[in-house]
Amino acid sequence: MVQPLLDFAGQYWWLVFPLLGVMGGVGRAWERGARRRHTRRLEILHAKAEIKAAQAAARGRGVAPSAVPASASPRRTRAGRIAGGAAHPAVRRAGRRHQAVARL
């Protein structure tokens, strides 16, 4: 029972390398999708906070600063404050990742 499997593995061992490349591509696509979902969630949180602030302002009440998520706006990140929001995209992504980890 095991011998045919070992024969196959002995003759086609080189298939491991292309399969690793395929698995790497699948993992990379999975990560890109996760990043897009995360960005969408942050945008939704920011939009909800803006709506809440606008509704409170329309009623004549202010909104506490903690009600508006700071991580949803790129200008609120440290890189955004330093560069006025014109930081390199990689720097902004690193800042958002840092803030996400800091919230945990």
Side-chain angles (χ1 to χ4, degrees):
M1 170 138 179
V2 175
Q3 190 60 36
L5 182 63
L6 291 176
D7 288 339
F8 178 81
Q11 292 178 3
Y12 297 104
W13 59 269
W14 53 270
L15 286 174
V16 170
F17 299 108
L19 291 175
L20 285 175
V22 168
M23 290 178 3
V26 168
R28 198 168 24 255
W30 185 291
E31 181 182 359
R32 279 194 305 251
R35 286 180 191 266
R36 280 194 305 268
R37 285 189 299 276
H38 176 72
T39 302
R40 259 186 273 140
R41 285 184 190 133
L42 287 178
E43 290 171 356
I44 290 170
L45 284 173
H46 186 64
K48 285 182 179 180
E50 285 180 347
I51 290 170
K52 187 176 182 179
Q55 288 174 344
R59 284 188 229 120
R61 293 183 287 175
V63 177
S66 62
V68 178
S71 64
S73 174
R75 289 191 169 268
R76 295 228 179 216
T77 63
R78 185 167 186 251
R81 286 192 309 267
I82 291 171
H88 190 274
V91 173
R92 288 194 303 262
R93 281 193 303 271
R96 287 192 297 261
R97 279 195 304 267
H98 172 71
Q99 286 180 344
V101 170
R103 281 185 285 173
L104 297 176

